[in-house]
Amino acid sequence: MIKKMKNYFEKNVFLTVVLIVIFTIAACLMWKYTLQSATAVVPTINYMKECICMRQIM
Amino acid sequence: MIKRKRGYLTPVVISVVCWLTFIWLRTFTYMANYNEGTGVYRFLLAAIITMIGTFFYWSLFKPEESAGLISFLFGDEFEECLKETTVGTTKKWSILRKSMFFVGCLSFLSLLAFVFEIWTDIMVFTDAAYIEIGVVDINKKYMFDLILLIIFPLWTQTIFRGIREEGYSIKGILSGAVQLLMLSLISYLLFMKLPNIWLIELAAIEIIIVATGIKKYVWKECSEKKGNVFALIGVYVFFWCALLAAFYRPGMTFSQFSYGGDWEAYQDSVKQIIAGAAAFGTSSELVSNRVVVDFLADRNNYLLVGLYYGGWVSGVAIIAALLLFLITTYRLLGVHAVFNRNYLVYKASWWMLAMRIIWGIPYSMGIIAMPITLPFAGKIGLYMDTIAFGLLIWSVFEARHIDKNFYKNRKIFDMFEKTEVKIEDQGIEDFFELYEVVKVCSGDVALLCSAEEDEQHNALVLEPLETDDACVFIVERVADAEMWHDVEDEAIRSAILRNYTKNNRPDCMEVIE
């Protein structure tokens, strides 16, 4: 199966290049999206920290 | 029929995914915990560029062919250079003698520098974390991994090759042992001003490299004198213990020696994170804990950050990924790793990553006072660990060539289910290799093979070209016919296969005979 795919991609070089470009763009976007969504909760956590500290001071 | 093997694809894919995961975690840790901001692609780009650079520079490194430093030191150039000077003699210098000359010069210079720094105010290079050359300051931490991963293993294997060249004579072994001690002394003097944990890591990896070198080059040769080998390893371990003991002060505990700072404060903070972490997601108990928040600020430990932000689910997943990375990278060394020419370099790379995991996880959990960062988490570690991982990926390319050299001695009947075959010349001769391409036919079945003649036994060795399984057929012509059949005599078959394997050995392979 892998050998068949390898032969197919070797014969269709343009398709291979297009797929690599699309895959790279998709991977970069996924990298950015996952990091942004993971760090999005950090400001909320920081806000929670500040509120708790304020309550402790009062 | 011949079965096809999956090979190294799965470990390569898994380890690359783990590598990307750790860089992702490193970026997240930096974005979430550091006061200094960073871009989302900063560490990813740095790691990819380092990986490409590693492949590029390592591909240029060919000890026998390149005109690089190693070639100069141990090739003919140095000898030619000596002949032009008064030092030169007409007698040929052995590898061990050349190596001794350079190690001796370097250790003399290092000791001289050390003596100067003890008794005078002159700063050379042993007494600081930086090496100053004019206005340029080079941080020794950048040199540490490169010396440990590349220079020390390469030099060690050169010394062992020299011992082998001298026929394992007492003189050769003594010279090799002294050189290894001097090399270790040089590395110690160079890095002695770094924190003790760096020296412990240096000692551990150098001991492993020397033990691996002994196993590869010496072990088979000393079947009756294994006790002496153990004694030599013992002396080397003792030598390192003595060097490390120079930094021990009376009353010091192990944690004070290896950690340096307040280990109990570290343990206390880690215990609070472990006890307060939620099963899933951020725990409100940890969020309200000022000690933990201050502790995690500007700290690059993605395991603790995972516990803090993602709970135990993230923590366990990160530990599982680290262990998976440890196993898959070991697989990257190859099935016949010991036959690799640069086996010590790849083994050192793996051990360096392995130590980051084996010591890094217990340290992160506050169990062992060995402050070693997790893989790809350190400021310099991101680059150096990527170099080590790049070398392991490179070793896969070489491992594939080496595995191919372990040909299976197959019979014609295994493939064609007949005892005789017809061989047709395809008229394609590869000018770069000494073989011809032929078509082996039997009925409807045809197979493209490379053919190499064994003139001594009047036989032909056929190697199938379109199969992943490395095998050969050893055939001879049927008298007065166009057909070919297997060579029957097993002793002759073995001799032919041995010759064929030797002739087709890849450059990256080294067999200790």
Side-chain angles (χ1 to χ4, degrees):
Chain A
M1 180 68 181
I2 290 169
K3 205 162 190 174
K4 270 184 189 173
M5 279 172 69
K6 201 178 153 191
N7 285 339
Y8 185 77
F9 285 125
E10 270 172 5
K11 281 174 190 162
N12 299 280
V13 181
F14 185 68
L15 173 75
T16 313
V17 173
V18 170
L19 282 177
I20 289 171
V21 171
I22 291 171
F23 177 78
T24 309
I25 293 169
C28 286
L29 286 173
M30 207 173 86
W31 183 273
K32 192 177 176 180
Y33 174 76
T34 49
L35 267 171
Q36 280 178 345
S37 48
T39 47
V41 296
V42 177
T44 321
I45 294 167
N46 286 341
Y47 178 72
M48 279 163 66
K49 277 181 222 167
E50 279 169 27
C51 291
I52 291 162
C53 285
M54 287 293 284
R55 247 183 268 153
Q56 281 171 351
I57 291 164
M58 286 171 79
Chain B
M1 288 297 287
I2 296 167
K3 281 184 185 174
R4 289 181 58 197
K5 283 189 285 184
R6 187 53 59 88
Y8 300 102
L9 188 64
T10 313
V12 169
V13 171
I14 293 173
S15 55
V16 168
V17 170
C18 288
W19 173 60
L20 291 172
T21 308
F22 300 139
I23 294 167
W24 188 96
L25 286 165
R26 169 84 175 104
T27 314
F28 172 74
T29 307
Y30 213 90
M31 289 171 85
N33 277 22
Y34 278 63
N35 291 323
E36 185 193 336
T38 181
V40 280
Y41 297 119
R42 181 181 153 189
F43 295 114
L44 180 67
L45 274 175
I48 289 171
I49 291 167
T50 309
M51 180 70 87
I52 293 168
T54 307
F55 288 157
F56 177 72
Y57 285 111
W58 192 241
S59 69
L60 295 180
F61 179 76
K62 285 175 183 131
E64 276 73 32
E65 293 164 27
S66 72
L69 181 69
I70 298 287
S71 167
F72 178 76
L73 297 185
F74 302 110
D76 293 335
E77 286 169 48
F78 173 62
E79 221 153 296
E80 281 163 19
C81 184
L82 279 177
K83 277 175 193 164
E84 288 166 14
T85 64
T86 50
V87 187
T89 57
T90 50
K91 200 182 168 190
K92 195 172 163 60
W93 278 41
S94 64
I95 296 175
L96 217 51
R97 202 171 165 199
K98 285 176 196 170
S99 171
M100 179 60 115
F101 178 78
F102 286 105
V103 177
C105 288
L106 280 175
S107 52
F108 175 73
L109 287 174
S110 304
L111 283 170
L112 199 69
F114 181 59
V115 168
F116 259 101
E117 280 160 11
I118 287 178
W119 284 307
T120 66
D121 294 333
I122 302 168
M123 289 272 287
V124 189
F125 66 87
T126 58
D127 199 28
Y130 287 85
I131 294 179
E132 289 175 30
I133 304 170
V135 287
V136 183
D137 285 351
I138 304 168
N139 190 341
K140 282 183 183 174
K141 288 179 180 177
Y142 284 103
M143 298 162 65
F144 181 83
D145 291 288
L146 294 178
I147 287 177
L148 203 55
L149 281 185
I150 298 170
I151 295 172
F152 187 81
L154 281 178
W155 210 312
T156 305
Q157 65 192 20
T158 306
I159 291 169
F160 279 113
R161 277 176 201 147
I163 294 173
R164 192 178 48 150
E165 193 187 74
E166 303 264 317
Y168 300 95
S169 63
I170 296 290
K171 193 182 154 195
I173 291 168
L174 269 177
S175 167
V178 169
Q179 286 181 51
L180 287 173
L181 291 177
M182 284 198 290
L183 265 184
S184 302
L185 184 69
I186 294 167
S187 58
Y188 173 80
L189 289 173
L190 194 60
F191 299 116
M192 61 191 280
K193 286 292 158 183
L194 296 181
N196 288 350
I197 188 65
W198 291 71
L199 292 176
I200 294 172
E201 195 183 345
L202 188 74
I205 297 201
E206 288 194 3
I207 289 168
I208 288 167
I209 292 169
V210 170
T212 312
I214 286 171
K215 199 182 161 203
K216 180 179 174 180
Y217 292 96
V218 185
W219 200 243
K220 276 186 189 170
E221 298 299 320
C222 57
S223 51
E224 289 171 7
K225 294 178 180 173
K226 287 196 166 63
N228 290 347
V229 176
F230 280 119
L232 277 173
I233 296 174
V235 168
Y236 188 68
V237 174
F238 179 78
F239 174 75
W240 261 115
C241 290
L243 291 179
L244 290 175
F247 292 101
Y248 178 78
R249 300 283 168 269
M252 225 181 198
T253 60
F254 177 73
S255 58
Q256 282 169 333
F257 180 76
S258 59
Y259 186 73
D262 190 352
W263 173 242
E264 277 166 18
Y266 176 91
Q267 268 187 318
D268 186 50
S269 304
V270 171
K271 271 178 196 165
Q272 287 186 51
I273 295 175
I274 290 171
F280 186 82
T282 314
S283 140
S284 54
E285 188 189 328
L286 284 182
V287 168
S288 60
N289 192 327
R290 185 46 71 189
V291 176
V292 168
V293 174
D294 290 341
F295 173 76
L296 284 179
D298 290 351
R299 193 173 285 273
N300 57 19
N301 192 318
Y302 51 72
L303 178 55
L304 294 176
V305 170
L307 278 171
Y308 181 85
Y309 287 106
W312 272 105
V313 173
S314 308
V316 171
I318 291 168
I319 292 173
L322 285 166
L323 295 176
L324 190 66
F325 184 71
L326 183 74
I327 296 162
T328 49
T329 45
Y330 187 77
R331 183 75 181 79
L332 296 183
L333 287 170
V335 181
H336 303 103
V338 77
F339 293 99
N340 196 310
R341 234 190 127 66
N342 292 318
Y343 176 57
L344 296 193
V345 175
Y346 300 131
K347 198 78 180 176
S349 304
W350 183 79
W351 269 106
M352 204 189 85
L353 291 172
M355 276 187 184
R356 300 240 183 283
I357 298 169
I358 296 167
W359 287 348
I361 295 174
Y363 166 68
S364 302
M365 307 297 273
I367 301 166
I368 301 176
M370 304 279 261
I372 288 185
T373 52
L374 292 167
F376 313 102
K379 198 176 171 187
I380 300 167
L382 174 74
Y383 304 100
M384 297 306 159
D385 294 349
T386 303
I387 291 173
F389 181 55
L391 289 173
L392 288 174
I393 295 272
W394 187 267
S395 78
V396 172
F397 296 111
E398 296 183 346
R400 284 167 61 112
H401 288 292
I402 292 168
D403 290 353
K404 224 184 142 204
N405 201 253
F406 288 85
Y407 297 103
K408 286 181 191 126
N409 190 348
R410 290 201 184 272
K411 295 273 180 83
I412 290 286
F413 189 78
D414 297 339
M415 176 66 89
F416 299 95
E417 292 172 357
K418 281 185 183 171
T419 52
E420 288 182 357
V421 288
K422 199 177 171 187
I423 295 177
E424 292 171 7
D425 190 353
Q426 290 297 97
I428 309 163
E429 200 164 336
D430 195 324
F431 290 102
F432 300 103
E433 305 277 350
L434 289 169
Y435 63 74
E436 236 178 302
V437 177
V438 295
K439 194 192 233 178
V440 183
C441 315
S442 174
D444 295 337
V445 187
L447 190 69
L448 269 185
C449 294
S450 71
E452 194 179 294
E453 197 181 349
D454 187 300
E455 287 175 1
Q456 196 189 340
H457 300 98
N458 205 15
L460 206 59
V461 183
L462 301 168
E463 185 187 339
L465 294 175
E466 292 172 332
T467 170
D468 292 340
D469 195 26
C471 64
V472 288
F473 303 105
I474 298 165
V475 293
E476 61 187 353
R477 194 189 281 267
V478 179
D480 303 326
E482 284 298 303
M483 303 301 278
W484 295 72
H485 67 80
D486 288 309
V487 173
E488 298 297 333
D489 191 330
E490 281 304 322
I492 294 175
R493 284 181 75 87
S494 302
I496 293 171
L497 182 63
R498 209 163 36 244
N499 276 342
Y500 184 76
T501 309
K502 204 173 178 180
N503 294 340
N504 290 284
R505 204 170 277 166
D507 292 339
C508 57
M509 190 171 174
E510 181 184 40
V511 179
I512 311 298
E513 289 168 308

